[in-house]
Amino acid sequence: MNPTVTMIARLIHRQTGTASHGEFRAPLNPVDALIRAHERFGAEHHVRVVYPEEHRWRIGWHEKLAAAMMTPEGR
């Protein structure tokens, strides 16, 4: 089972283009984190990237996130 941790999402406001960030809780899984970020912020923001708040969980995170964002043909 994946632990639930605090995540940070980098966001761009859909109307104004203003960059910001938001925090939310999600399992330590890139797919689940992306889904939760879009559920929480997707109505008003473009979600650019999500990553764990704690540095120890960030090791290898971007590679996992990139794999989660690929189409099935690209995996």
Side-chain angles (χ1 to χ4, degrees):
M1 179 166 162
N2 288 327
T4 301
V5 298
T6 301
M7 301 291 237
I8 298 171
R10 296 289 179 196
L11 310 166
I12 304 293
H13 195 276
R14 291 182 186 273
Q15 298 293 325
T16 65
T18 306
S20 63
H21 73 278
E23 293 184 0
F24 62 101
R25 302 277 303 169
L28 192 57
N29 175 312
V31 175
D32 291 334
L34 282 170
I35 291 169
R36 299 244 179 127
H38 282 281
E39 288 174 349
R40 173 104 188 247
F41 305 110
E44 294 183 11
H45 297 87
H46 294 287
V47 177
R48 293 295 177 210
V49 68
V50 296
Y51 54 90
E53 180 182 44
E54 287 188 51
H55 289 280
R56 66 185 174 130
W57 296 117
R58 292 184 193 176
I59 298 169
W61 179 261
H62 289 327
E63 290 83 7
K64 295 175 192 171
L65 182 63
M69 294 174 75
M70 284 181 150
T71 62
E73 297 82 30
R75 290 185 196 159

